[in-house]
Amino acid sequence: RLAFDIAFAYSKIDGTKMYPFAVEGVDNSIVMAGAAYHLLQHCSKYEQDTDPLKIHPIVSDPFINEVDTQRRWGSAMFPEDDVLDKLHRANMQQSSHRPSLSYVIADFVRVYASPSKHAAFGSIATCFFIDTATNIYEYILTIRNLLQTGGVWLNVGPVQWHQNAQLQPSINELKDIILLAGFNIIQWKMSEKIVAYRHPDDIQVGTRVEAYRPLKFVAVLKADEHAVVKEGKTDTDLLSSTEKLRQVTGRQTMRPR
């Protein structure tokens, strides 16, 4: 949904909607991929009076810490009416004036650490992402590889490291790693608000709550980082640490360039 909202953000020039962002979304989840395929391949072709699908997103949850079992039958409409409306309106425009949105199903590091992706993007937005890393250095170096000089990295989401994580740095340590990777941090905020993972009401009505405090930050890639990579100077502490960790985990060696 984040990729969709960015792609469909527009400004009007001489009364015509212009979409300034060419967006490429990526996910490695079959569930997310199915939703994206339905939206991009089917919903955009529906007639305008076609009703959205009624889904029950939490019907298969274990529900072992619930007060009211009827909550499992809660439903939602997918996509929302405003999303369908945006798709229909976009299809009525000339192809050159439509939003640019594509979707990739892949492992982030394996696809985007490629030299062919070097400096391919002006900005990267990560949402519910960084704590999925097996090796957080891989993610950071891959993002550095993707960004153009002066490119912006925006992040929002939890930092609750998954079981596959080889490193589980604290928030302060994560900030230091990003700085060492050659980024200037413009904004860094750990939210005071607790957000439930599954449904906002869980905090009030559940006997046990799975929740998180989102980390929000904006970082900009410094101008000299790509120059260092081009010169082949890969013996920095950051890259050396990554190579050592990759040897331990058995994953293939990754070079940002």
Side-chain angles (χ1 to χ4, degrees), residues 10-19 89 93-94 97:
Y10 67 88
S11 58
K12 281 190 175 182
I13 300 178
D14 297 331
T16 302
K17 286 186 178 180
M18 303 298 292
Y19 301 92
R89 290 180 182 275
Q93 294 181 289
Q94 297 180 5
H97 292 162

Side-chain angles (χ1 to χ4, degrees), residues 60 67 79 82 87 93 132 144 152 162 174 186 230 240 243:
S60 61
V67 175
D82 67 315
L87 286 170
Q93 294 181 289
T132 67
R144 189 178 77 173
V152 179
H162 292 205
L174 176 62
I186 307 302
K230 288 179 181 178
S240 297
E243 294 305 319

Side-chain angles (χ1 to χ4, degrees), residues 88-109:
H88 294 312
R89 290 180 182 275
N91 284 335
M92 294 172 62
Q93 294 181 289
Q94 297 180 5
S95 58
S96 59
H97 292 162
R98 294 175 185 172
S100 175
L101 174 61
S102 59
Y103 191 82
V104 178
I105 306 169
D107 178 272
F108 176 70
V109 174

Side-chain angles (χ1 to χ4, degrees), residues 11-44:
S11 58
K12 281 190 175 182
I13 300 178
D14 297 331
T16 302
K17 286 186 178 180
M18 303 298 292
Y19 301 92
F21 303 114
V23 180
E24 181 172 301
V26 60
D27 207 304
N28 204 24
S29 164
I30 297 300
V31 174
M32 297 297 182
Y37 183 85
H38 176 76
L39 179 68
L40 299 178
Q41 299 298 322
H42 294 287
C43 293
S44 60

